[in-house]
Amino acid sequence: MADAPSEPTLSVRGLTKRYGDTVALADVDLAVRGGEFVAVVGPSGCGKSTLLRVLSGLEDRFEGRAAVDGDDVREGGSDAVGMVFQEPRLLPWTDVRGNVAVGLPADVDAADPDARARIDELIRIVGLGGFAERRPAELSGGMKQRVSLARGLAYDPSVLLLDEPFSALDRLTKHEQQDHLSDACAERGTTVVLVTHDVEEAAYLADRVVVLGDQPGRVETVVDVDADRPRERTDEDLLAVRARIVEALGV
Ligand SMILES: Nc1ncnc2c1ncn2[C@@H]1O[C@H](COP(=O)(O)OP(=O)(O)OP(=O)(O)O)[C@@H](O)[C@H]1O
Ligand SMILES: [Mg+2]
């Protein structure tokens, strides 16, 4: 894990977000260091997606402060941040390759041979090598989700926000994608906030797991994951971490 810089890469202080009478998040504090991998778990409706929306600059009406690299997210969000949404949100009129290319940074030409090679590599990595010319309507839910993940990785952000990116995948595919994500982010030093319902996934991937409670959404507890990397899924330390998360969730 990287040494803690003076200002964390992601900083949330006293964040309260209301939708009318609904308090989606109440007085949430969170600091994420550069290169850290944080998982966020909690019951449905507790404000996980809302937290990512705030961090990505999509919400400007909230109480408290949220900053990326010291810049207030209300200024429109940081170019450093990439987001993979809970719903794949693919463009229906273009194929897998076109959809992944949407994720390229604005200054990269998708027709450039290097960019094209990178897009095809990402498509292969998410296991869709034979589907580059298929449109979203011809893909399964889990395949669409992987296109969305590849699009997020194409941007190669220094901060990656992931909203349940593996929820529609079978166990084997999920494990492969988790390992790829973990390797890719460790290699690039990417700072990650991963929202998931999957306690096993949170413990396996994260340096720290933030457990949110609901009504209203607030930080229940934070569990440090001290297991060495590379990790074994059956590592006893991880089993203990999973038990602590489950206990905090009260499930
Ligand atoms: N645009 C919106 N308008 C009104 N209420 C909203 C809106 N977005 C979210 N909410 C409410 O805010 C709360 C938190 O929603 P959010 O989507 O952040 O939950 P979540 O933790 O991501 O849930 P899930 O695990 O089901 O994805 C919920 O009560 C939801 O109804
Ligand atoms: Mg959500």
Side-chain angles (χ1 to χ4, degrees):
M1 206 183 297
D3 290 337
S6 50
E7 172 121 31
T9 295
L10 295 179
S11 171
V12 172
R13 297 295 302 267
L15 168 62
T16 296
K17 171 65 188 171
R18 299 171 208 271
Y19 293 105
D21 292 338
T22 305
V23 182
L25 292 167
D27 199 21
V28 168
D29 291 335
L30 177 68
V32 182
R33 296 182 295 274
E36 194 178 14
F37 197 125
V38 169
V40 178
V41 301
S44 184
C46 75
K48 303 180 297 297
S49 295
T50 303
L51 177 62
L52 293 195
R53 287 176 56 80
V54 167
L55 287 171
S56 65
L58 290 169
E59 300 280 354
D60 54 2
R61 297 176 64 182
F62 57 85
E63 295 155 50
R65 179 177 152 81
V68 176
D69 290 331
D71 295 330
D72 194 318
V73 298
R74 286 191 183 86
E75 308 299 319
S78 164
D79 287 348
V81 177
M83 173 96 158
V84 174
F85 292 93
Q86 192 165 2
E87 323 81 42
R89 300 185 181 204
L90 304 181
L91 303 175
W93 58 84
T94 184
D95 61 10
V96 166
R97 192 176 278 123
N99 270 284
V100 176
V102 167
L104 290 169
D107 59 348
V108 175
D109 179 359
D112 175 82
D114 286 347
R116 190 160 166 118
R118 180 166 154 65
I119 294 297
D120 284 351
E121 168 74 356
L122 285 167
I123 292 171
R124 191 190 59 71
I125 286 169
V126 297
L128 296 176
F131 297 87
E133 272 136 40
R134 299 285 184 91
R135 293 189 183 198
E138 301 172 274
L139 303 176
S140 72
M143 292 161 94
K144 287 182 207 165
Q145 198 172 33
R146 285 181 277 156
V147 177
S148 169
L149 179 63
R151 181 181 55 192
L153 294 172
Y155 188 55
D156 200 11
S158 62
V159 178
L160 187 55
L161 308 176
L162 301 162
D163 200 345
E164 307 201 35
F166 310 125
S167 59
L169 305 184
D170 66 273
R171 193 171 167 83
L172 178 62
T173 309
K174 182 188 275 199
H175 286 184
E176 288 170 356
Q177 293 303 315
Q178 287 168 343
D179 285 335
H180 169 257
L181 177 73
S182 177
D183 292 350
C185 292
E187 194 180 304
R188 293 175 155 78
T190 311
T191 308
V192 183
V193 180
L194 167 86
V195 164
T196 179
H197 278 112
D198 184 332
V199 172
E200 181 187 338
E201 174 172 294
Y204 180 64
L205 291 176
D207 299 311
R208 257 184 324 143
V209 180
V210 176
V211 182
L212 296 185
D214 62 354
Q215 299 172 346
R218 65 195 182 282
V219 177
E220 202 71 63
T221 190
V222 180
V223 179
D224 286 315
V225 188
D226 288 328
D228 293 338
R229 295 180 188 269
R231 291 177 175 169
E232 292 291 331
R233 290 176 190 273
T234 50
D235 185 324
E236 289 201 359
D237 290 338
L238 292 186
L239 299 180
V241 165
R242 279 155 61 177
R244 289 185 59 199
I245 299 168
V246 167
E247 188 186 357
L249 285 168
V251 290

